[in-house]
Amino acid sequence: MNMDYLPELLKGLGTTLELTLVSLFTGLVLAILFTLVLALKVRPLTWLVKLQILLFTGTPLLIQIFLIYYGPAQFDAIRNSVLRPWLSQPWFCAMLALALNSAAYSTLLFKGAIDAVPNSDREACMALGMTNRQALLRVILPHAVRRALPAYGNEVILVMKGSSLASTITLMDLMGYAARLNAQTYDTLTVFTMAGLIYLAMTGVLTVLIRFMEHKVLAFSR
């Protein structure tokens, strides 16, 4: 294996990590907001959240990236608006697609965790004189987050691996440099094997971190 390729591939590692972290943070914030909307049954926002979930769980991530990056330019109102400088940047469009995609799946995960909280917890909150909103924010949601953490760890890894699709809209991340290196050398097997090993290493590190967090959070909740 030609290790001379490694420095070139690592040039895109920072972009991949940055894209993953920002997408995860943005997606998590959106997922919490969406979950609250669904749990509190805030209309008409509930229907908008359900539509967002339907669109982003029912279509491939690659199509979502293409539509967000190439789609707005088809509309004069958007092309001439203040949004155009943002929506013309590959990094921002890839981050937005990943964040919205992650938010959709995470919302389903968090809402399912909330629904799984025993009715006895809700009844105890009512007995203490809490309103539905107070019970949700102070008791039910924290319990649900602890229940959802193991499954959310898988979503973190999926977002990291999904970030590789950002190279399709010219973003020079790890996969972007791998594609360019492959075009220069035609050494496809070596280039993409090394890129895959880097992703495998990142997945391993993330898995260890997630398991550590699960251990700490779940141990604290006992």
Side-chain angles (χ1 to χ4, degrees):
M1 185 174 294
N2 192 342
M3 299 303 293
D4 293 339
Y5 299 154
L6 186 59
E8 185 72 11
L9 291 173
L10 291 178
K11 289 180 181 179
L13 182 59
T15 301
T16 293
L17 292 175
E18 181 184 33
L19 179 62
T20 299
L21 291 174
V22 176
S23 299
L24 283 170
F25 176 77
T26 306
L28 178 60
V29 172
L30 290 174
I32 292 174
L33 293 176
F34 293 166
T35 302
L36 289 175
V37 168
L38 293 178
L40 296 173
K41 299 179 180 179
V42 182
R43 290 190 171 88
L45 295 180
T46 298
W47 297 108
L48 292 176
V49 170
K50 289 182 177 180
L51 178 61
Q52 191 270 346
I53 292 174
L54 175 65
L55 291 175
F56 281 88
T57 60
T59 58
L61 176 58
L62 183 60
I63 290 178
Q64 296 162 19
I65 292 174
F66 282 164
L67 288 177
I68 291 175
Y69 183 62
Y70 295 111
Q74 308 300 316
F75 302 96
D76 290 336
I78 297 179
R79 189 165 58 243
N80 299 323
S81 71
V82 295
L83 297 176
R84 181 55 185 163
W86 292 94
L87 294 175
S88 62
Q89 297 179 25
W91 188 94
F92 180 80
C93 291
M95 184 278 295
L96 185 60
L98 285 166
L100 290 173
N101 184 276
S102 178
Y105 284 100
S106 298
T107 299
L108 291 176
L109 178 63
F110 295 159
K111 183 60 169 60
I114 287 177
D115 292 340
V117 173
N119 287 330
S120 58
D121 288 11
R122 306 172 191 270
E123 294 170 357
C125 292
M126 298 301 104
L128 292 173
M130 292 185 182
T131 64
N132 287 334
R133 188 183 300 268
Q134 289 173 332
L136 177 66
L137 296 177
R138 297 181 182 180
V139 179
I140 298 173
L141 191 58
H143 285 185
V145 169
R146 287 194 288 269
R147 289 171 177 268
L149 184 58
Y152 182 73
N154 295 329
E155 177 64 20
V156 171
I157 293 173
L158 288 174
V159 171
M160 188 274 292
K161 292 190 290 187
S163 68
S164 62
L165 295 175
S167 62
T168 60
I169 54 173
T170 72
L171 186 67
M172 294 304 293
D173 61 346
L174 176 57
M175 276 298 296
Y177 276 97
R180 188 173 74 174
L181 194 57
N182 178 61
Q184 293 171 346
T185 64
Y186 296 100
D187 193 359
T188 304
L189 180 61
T190 301
V191 169
F192 287 109
T193 296
M194 294 185 68
L197 290 174
I198 295 173
Y199 277 108
L200 182 61
M202 290 192 293
T203 300
V205 172
L206 280 176
T207 301
V208 172
L209 291 175
I210 290 166
R211 295 295 175 263
F212 177 77
M213 290 177 60
E214 289 177 12
H215 176 73
K216 290 296 183 181
V217 172
L218 296 179
F220 178 76
S221 65
R222 292 190 183 97

